[in-house]
């Protein structure tokens, strides 16, 4: 049994907490958070603390806090020579304090507290400074996922960049589409079958092969019509930027 302590209880660690709770080979021994949180009633045996001095002994300590706070927080830990990892996609392993053995445990997924996820197919990207710690993280990852992969900080930075494009930026485009429809009192549900089919196509086609639309076929009249319909200058800039990029890509 691998004992885990979660340091911070944001989106990632709150989901890891639920995943480990359902694992037979890993257990959350303690949760640290600066503000009080409500753990469910079946978790009374899991201790909670808001004091760094009260953090207990464990096999792995998982930091799940904003990127810019990881370095100073890891330095403030009174732990020494323990396996301390963070869950960030964008922060390198070396932002962690040298007071402890350093590593990465990065689940590549979008997390929202109000939505449940299954970790079974979520890639868990791991990194560590030595082979024995890497083995521990491999075993820990395999308790919740079938897809655990060793990735360096440099590779993970590029992976996180790619994830921002396909997730964060795409979701913002959903927001734009929804806002355009909302102004016409039309439901966003009208777009959902299109969104789902677009996602399904890349199971069998490359994104380039799956690309369609007026920019790809250089349909100037449709593009001009769309631009004239956009009264929001920011949305217009986004449309122009994507249209120019697509035109250049499909010359």
């Amino acid at each position: 049994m691998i004992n885990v302590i979660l340091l911070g209880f944001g989106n990632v660690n709150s989901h890891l907490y639920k995943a480990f709770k359902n694992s037979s080979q890993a257990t959350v021994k303690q949760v640290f958070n600066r503000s009080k949180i409500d753990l469910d009633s079946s978790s009374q045996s899991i201790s909670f603390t808001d004091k760094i001095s009260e953090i207990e002994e464990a096999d792995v300590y998982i930091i799940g806090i904003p990127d810019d706070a990881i370095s100073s927080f890891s330095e403030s830990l009174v732990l020494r020579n323990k396996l301390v990892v963070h869950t960030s996609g964008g922060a390198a392993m070396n932002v962690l304090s040298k007071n402890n053995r350093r590593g990465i445990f990065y689940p590549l997924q979008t997390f929202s507290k109000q939505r449940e996820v299954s970790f079974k197919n979520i890639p868990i990207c791991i990194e560590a400074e030595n082979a024995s710690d890497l083995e521990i993280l491999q075993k820990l990852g395999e308790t919740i996922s079938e897809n655990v992969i060793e990735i360096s900080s440099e590779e993970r930075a590029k992976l996180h960049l790619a994830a921002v494009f396909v997730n964060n930026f795409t979701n913002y485009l959903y927001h734009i589409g929804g806002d355009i429809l909302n102004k016409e009192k039309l439901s966003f549900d009208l777009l959902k079958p299109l969104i789902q089919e677009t996602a399904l196509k890349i199971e069998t086609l490359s994104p380039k092969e799956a690309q369609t639309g007026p920019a790809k076929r250089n349909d100037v009249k449709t593009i001009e019509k769309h631009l004239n319909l956009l009264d929001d200058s920011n949305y217009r800039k986004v449309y122009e930027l994507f249209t120019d990029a697509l035109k250049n890509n499909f010359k």
Side-chain angles (χ1 to χ4, degrees):
M1 183 70 71
I2 302 175
N3 290 314
V4 174
I5 289 181
L6 300 177
L7 304 174
F9 206 69
N11 284 342
V12 178
N13 270 4
S14 62
H15 280 87
L16 284 175
Y17 162 77
K18 294 175 184 176
F20 289 137
K21 199 176 69 168
N22 294 324
S23 169
S24 61
Q25 298 171 314
T27 184
V28 176
K29 183 178 181 182
Q30 186 185 43
V31 174
F32 164 87
N33 200 56
R34 295 197 184 278
S35 58
K36 184 68 176 177
I37 55 174
D38 292 323
L39 300 177
D40 58 81
S41 58
S42 64
S43 306
Q44 296 302 316
S45 60
I46 298 175
S47 70
F48 169 83
T49 184
D50 58 2
K51 296 179 177 60
I52 288 180
S53 60
E54 294 180 355
I55 294 174
E56 300 174 8
E57 293 287 317
D59 300 310
V60 184
Y61 298 79
I62 302 179
I63 297 175
I65 61 177
D67 289 11
D68 58 4
I70 293 173
S71 180
S72 59
F73 176 76
S74 68
E75 194 67 40
S76 72
L77 295 173
V78 296
L79 308 169
R80 292 295 181 271
N81 199 33
K82 303 296 183 182
L83 178 53
V84 177
V85 305
H86 71 65
T87 61
S88 168
M93 182 171 63
N94 63 15
V95 303
L96 291 166
S97 170
K98 292 182 179 180
N99 293 330
N100 290 288
R101 290 143 39 216
R102 302 182 291 188
I104 300 295
F105 194 84
Y106 168 52
L108 179 55
Q109 185 53 276
T110 175
F111 295 102
S112 298
K113 283 189 176 181
Q114 62 270 34
R115 181 170 173 80
E116 299 292 329
V117 297
S118 169
F119 271 81
K120 182 178 179 181
N121 296 314
I122 293 177
I124 306 287
C125 304
I126 60 171
E127 184 181 8
E129 293 182 300
N130 62 69
S132 59
D133 286 341
L134 190 68
E135 183 178 354
I136 292 172
L137 295 180
Q138 179 78 32
K139 290 178 179 178
L140 180 63
E142 289 173 351
T143 67
I144 57 175
S145 172
E146 296 178 356
N147 189 4
V148 183
I149 180 170
E150 180 185 359
I151 294 182
S152 70
S153 287
E154 293 77 14
E155 292 169 328
R156 184 166 37 82
K158 295 293 180 65
L159 178 62
H160 187 250
L161 171 61
V164 167
F165 273 96
V166 303
N167 173 237
N168 305 126
F169 291 168
T170 300
N171 192 71
Y172 178 63
L173 296 180
Y174 294 163
H175 165 76
I176 293 176
D179 193 32
I180 291 169
L181 291 184
N182 186 57
K183 289 175 181 176
E184 301 301 320
K185 295 182 170 53
L186 294 172
S187 172
F188 185 74
D189 288 345
L190 292 168
L191 294 177
K192 289 181 179 178
L194 175 63
I195 292 170
Q196 291 165 358
E197 175 59 19
T198 302
L200 287 171
K201 277 204 288 188
I202 59 170
E203 295 290 339
T204 55
L205 300 173
S206 72
K208 189 167 186 176
E209 290 171 330
Q211 187 68 54
T212 60
K216 180 189 176 184
R217 59 181 184 266
N218 197 26
D219 184 345
V220 176
K221 288 185 177 180
T222 299
I223 292 169
E224 289 180 350
K225 181 179 180 180
H226 286 170
L227 288 171
N228 289 331
L229 288 171
L230 287 168
D231 52 13
D232 185 303
S233 61
N234 287 324
Y235 295 172
R236 187 183 180 94
K237 288 177 183 176
V238 171
Y239 190 101
E240 290 175 330
L241 179 65
F242 274 88
T243 296
D244 289 344
L246 280 165
K247 281 182 178 180
N248 291 331
N249 196 54
F250 286 96
K251 281 182 177 179

